């Protein structure tokens, strides 16, 4: 009698486990995205399969190849203060592809549609896209002189870009990552040196 109950229990478990496949006509389970994608696929236009924040936004690309259905799901965002550092690499990658890249890509495209016709992950992450680390700050970006004189020179030479970075890019990035924008009075918050390295 005990053996019969065990068999009935196992049958019931199989029916419950297989119900979604039977109801949908079968199929294969979704493949999981690799935690460290191979370098060869890192320049593929996978991010273009991510949902866009705006229908008019350009399709961003340059992230490791993985279909939207196979990518790990991003936590509901944006992250709260300090949450970003606690997220896994896979969570960050999914959130970047689904939310950050479409919105930041659109921001750069609106600033200069010709220069940033199709913004890609390499725009900020550079070589970190190829090796899958996405390490920041990115030494491939222009190095900035951190002194007041250095910023003054930069503002004189590139006033439009400095204003765009200070008034659009930094606040939007901070918002998307759940951080406060840099405050010169306190010296805290997300600022230029999250992405750029300092000129020595």
């Amino acid at each position: 009698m005990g053996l019969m109950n065990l068999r009935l229990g196992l049958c019931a478990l199989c029916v419950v486990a297989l119900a979604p496949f039977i109801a949908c006509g079968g199929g294969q389970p979704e493949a999981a995205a690799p935690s460290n994608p191979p370098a060869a696929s890192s320049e593929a236009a996978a991010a273009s399969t991510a949902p866009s924040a705006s229908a008019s936004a350009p399709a961003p690309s340059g992230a490791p190849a993985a279909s939207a259905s196979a990518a790990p799901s991003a936590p509901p965002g944006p992250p709260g203060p300090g949450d970003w550092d606690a997220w896994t690499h896979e969570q960050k990658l999914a959130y970047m592809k689904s939310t950050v890249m479409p919105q930041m890509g659109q921001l750069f495209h609106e600033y200069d549609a010709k220069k940033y016709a199709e913004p890609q992950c390499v725009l900020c992450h550079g070589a970190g896209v190829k090796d899958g680390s996405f390490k920041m700050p990115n030494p491939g970006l222009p190095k900035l002189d951190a002194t007041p004189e250095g910023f003054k020179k930069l503002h004189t030479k590139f006033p439009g870009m400095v204003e765009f970075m200070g008034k659009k890019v930094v606040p939007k990035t901070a918002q998307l990552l759940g951080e406060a924008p840099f405050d010169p009075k306190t010296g805290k918050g997300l600022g230029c040196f999250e992405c750029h390295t300092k000129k020595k």
Side-chain angles (χ1 to χ4, degrees):
M1 190 69 176
L3 185 59
M4 182 178 278
N5 286 340
L6 179 61
R7 284 181 180 166
L8 287 173
L10 287 173
C11 287
L13 182 63
C14 287
V15 169
V16 170
L18 294 174
F21 296 105
I22 295 167
C24 297
Q28 296 180 354
E30 294 179 359
S35 61
N36 192 6
S41 66
S42 59
E43 292 185 20
S48 62
T49 61
S52 177
S54 166
S56 63
S61 61
S67 71
S69 63
S73 61
D83 287 350
W84 183 254
D85 291 335
W87 282 9
T88 66
H89 179 78
E90 288 75 20
Q91 288 173 317
K92 289 177 180 179
L93 182 61
Y95 181 67
M96 279 282 175
K97 287 170 67 176
S98 69
T99 306
V100 177
M101 187 63 227
Q103 292 188 37
M104 294 307 293
Q106 182 179 357
L107 202 67
F108 275 88
H109 184 76
E110 288 171 357
Y111 172 71
D112 188 333
K114 187 176 180 182
K115 185 174 182 179
Y116 304 110
E118 292 186 38
Q120 300 179 5
C121 301
V122 295
L123 177 64
C124 295
H125 291 281
V129 174
K130 285 186 179 181
D131 66 21
S133 70
F134 298 92
K135 186 180 175 187
M136 295 299 264
N138 172 11
L141 291 175
K143 294 180 182 352
L144 305 180
D145 183 341
T147 65
E149 297 78 20
F151 274 104
K152 189 174 181 181
K153 282 181 187 176
L154 197 61
H155 194 276
T156 302
K157 194 171 181 180
F158 305 104
M161 179 56 84
V162 171
E163 186 172 341
F164 168 64
M165 287 285 175
K167 292 187 177 177
K168 299 277 187 176
V169 174
V170 169
K172 186 66 174 177
T173 304
Q175 175 202 351
L176 289 168
L177 300 185
E179 301 290 337
F182 181 76
D183 182 350
K185 292 176 184 174
T186 64
K188 295 181 179 179
L190 186 142
C192 305
F193 298 107
E194 299 296 322
C195 298
H196 294 266
T197 54
K198 293 181 182 180
K199 190 181 281 186
K200 296 179 179 178

